[in-house]
Amino acid sequence: MVKGGAGKFFSNFKDNLKDTLKDTSTKVMHQVATYTKGELDIAYITSRIIVMTYPAESVQIGYQNHVEDIRSFLDSRHADHYTVFNLSQRNYRGAKFSNRVSECNWPSRQAPGLHNLFAVCKNMHNWLKQNPKNVCVITCSDGRGPSGVLVCAMFCFCHLFSHPAPAMQLLSAKRPGSGLWPSHCRYIGYVCSMVSEKPNLPHSKPLVIKALTMSPVPCFNKQRSGCRPFCDVLIGETKIFTTAQEYERMREHRIQEGKVVFPLGVSVHGDVVFSVYHMRSTIGGRLQAKVSNTQIFQIQFHTGFIAPGTTMLKFN
């Protein structure tokens, strides 16, 4: 997908885009708690980029924002000049926001795909440059991780920053507790590379992942002596390979071994996710036992940024 969209999405990077975002000073931090009798979870990261949690349409536990309160707030402050970018996989009626809702459907437990991340940044930029009064409203399930990675990627897309770290620092100052993962940071870095003065665009060559090594052996079993791990390999959200077997056939690894090696031999291309789990079995007979898996770690990267000839990738 990245290669096919290169002509449209990965061009014209030398434009000066700094004017698309204004007032990254203290003036942009509007206080909204006094707006309604309840408290809205909504934050101005800049005067033109707003982040909020998912707006519920009924009384639901865990949702601070009601869709009617959010609509009233946006109509009173940004009438006809806002568009909503919904990153969650739960869609809501666009008519609530004058049909200005872009449904992005990002996965909640992964970083967004590179093509989708870049495309949303481009759409946001196009909306902002149409009118100096236009604002972007970003929403996801918790108003944290997915929203945070988009905000930081947008900072880099608009040349406010050339590295992920200062973009993440600004986000943290405006909206503490964003909860960005290392994979999020990696994808923000990809956007920085793609819009730099000398753009580094992703190549389309597939990779063969021969093996994954985990070191040291983590303690996830009840005895705190090791784990019974397996590895899933996904392209985007589609699982293409797993080392999981029946519980009785899964080997338990001990701390003393120092490492676990998962033989894979799988060809990958694009957005790749490696997710390692500890397999558990509940108390009960062989027929009654239920297996529950606990995630140990997850790594995500894009193969287009792995230099040809690379024989080993290391993640801390």
Side-chain angles (χ1 to χ4, degrees):
M1 285 195 305
V2 173
K3 183 180 179 183
K8 296 181 180 179
F9 291 112
F10 303 152
S11 59
N12 300 323
F13 297 124
K14 293 185 179 180
D15 296 341
N16 186 352
L17 307 178
K18 290 184 179 180
D19 290 338
T20 60
L21 297 178
K22 292 183 178 181
D23 302 331
T24 55
S25 65
T26 55
K27 290 187 289 185
V28 306
M29 212 38 202
H30 298 268
Q31 297 298 319
V32 301
T34 58
Y35 165 70
T36 179
K37 60 176 180 280
E39 290 188 1
L40 296 178
D41 182 13
I42 186 168
Y44 282 75
I45 310 302
T46 76
S47 60
R48 304 185 67 191
I49 294 184
I50 304 168
V51 172
M52 66 179 184
T53 53
Y54 184 89
E57 294 195 38
S58 60
V59 179
Q60 293 174 282
I61 297 175
Y63 289 92
Q64 288 181 267
N65 296 340
H66 191 278
V67 66
E68 295 297 340
D69 293 335
I70 290 296
R71 181 175 67 172
S72 297
F73 174 83
L74 294 175
D75 286 343
S76 66
R77 298 202 176 194
H78 306 286
D80 301 323
H81 287 287
Y82 67 86
T83 190
V84 179
F85 292 86
N86 179 25
L87 308 184
S88 75
Q89 294 183 315
R90 297 183 56 191
N91 298 346
Y92 47 82
R93 288 179 290 169
K96 292 286 185 179
F97 298 103
S98 304
N99 293 316
R100 290 193 301 272
V101 177
S102 178
E103 300 289 357
C104 304
N105 294 306
W106 284 6
S108 59
R109 301 181 64 83
Q110 297 179 12
L114 180 61
H115 182 276
N116 288 334
L117 176 60
F118 197 90
V120 176
C121 286
K122 188 173 180 67
N123 290 340
M124 287 178 63
H125 170 249
N126 288 338
W127 171 253
L128 291 174
K129 72 178 183 180
Q130 288 179 18
N131 190 304
K133 293 183 179 181
N134 285 357
V135 300
C136 293
V137 183
I138 304 170
T139 179
C140 62
S141 296
D142 61 359
R144 301 293 173 182
S147 297
V149 71
L150 177 56
V151 168
C152 292
M154 188 62 182
F155 287 159
C156 297
F157 185 91
C158 294
H159 296 170
L160 288 179
F161 302 108
S162 58
H163 298 284
M168 294 169 67
Q169 288 172 359
L170 176 57
L171 172 67
S172 180
K174 301 297 184 181
R175 191 166 175 80
S178 298
L180 295 184
W181 308 334
S183 294
H184 287 152
C185 182
R186 187 173 301 117
Y187 273 67
I188 297 166
Y190 291 158
V191 174
C192 292
S193 298
M194 293 162 61
V195 299
S196 63
E197 291 185 6
K198 296 180 179 179
N200 178 21
L201 305 183
H203 64 73
S204 57
K205 299 177 181 178
L207 299 179
V208 175
I209 306 297
K210 296 182 178 179
L212 174 68
T213 300
M214 174 176 63
S215 178
V217 178
C219 299
F220 271 76
N221 58 13
K222 291 181 180 179
Q223 297 77 24
R224 308 301 294 167
S225 61
C227 60
R228 194 184 301 265
F230 67 91
C231 177
D232 287 346
V233 182
L234 300 89
I235 301 295
E237 295 183 90
T238 303
K239 185 190 300 186
I240 63 169
F241 185 82
T242 184
T243 63
Q245 303 179 66
E246 294 179 1
Y247 181 82
E248 291 76 13
R249 299 178 62 187
M250 294 291 295
R251 178 188 164 193
E252 192 163 41
H253 293 261
R254 303 290 180 174
I255 300 174
Q256 293 79 4
E257 299 174 38
K259 64 181 180 180
V260 179
V261 179
F262 302 95
L264 299 177
V266 60
S267 178
V268 294
H269 174 245
D271 299 294
V272 185
V273 179
F274 293 90
S275 190
V276 174
Y277 296 85
H278 165 66
M279 184 177 287
R280 282 200 173 107
S281 178
T282 58
I283 298 175
R286 194 168 174 184
L287 297 177
Q288 288 134 356
K290 294 182 179 179
V291 176
S292 60
N293 305 321
T294 303
Q295 189 177 58
I296 299 175
F297 70 86
Q298 179 171 295
I299 293 172
Q300 182 174 344
F301 61 88
H302 193 282
T303 58
F305 287 91
I306 307 303
T310 299
T311 58
M312 180 175 290
L313 301 174
K314 187 174 182 179
F315 301 89
N316 293 323

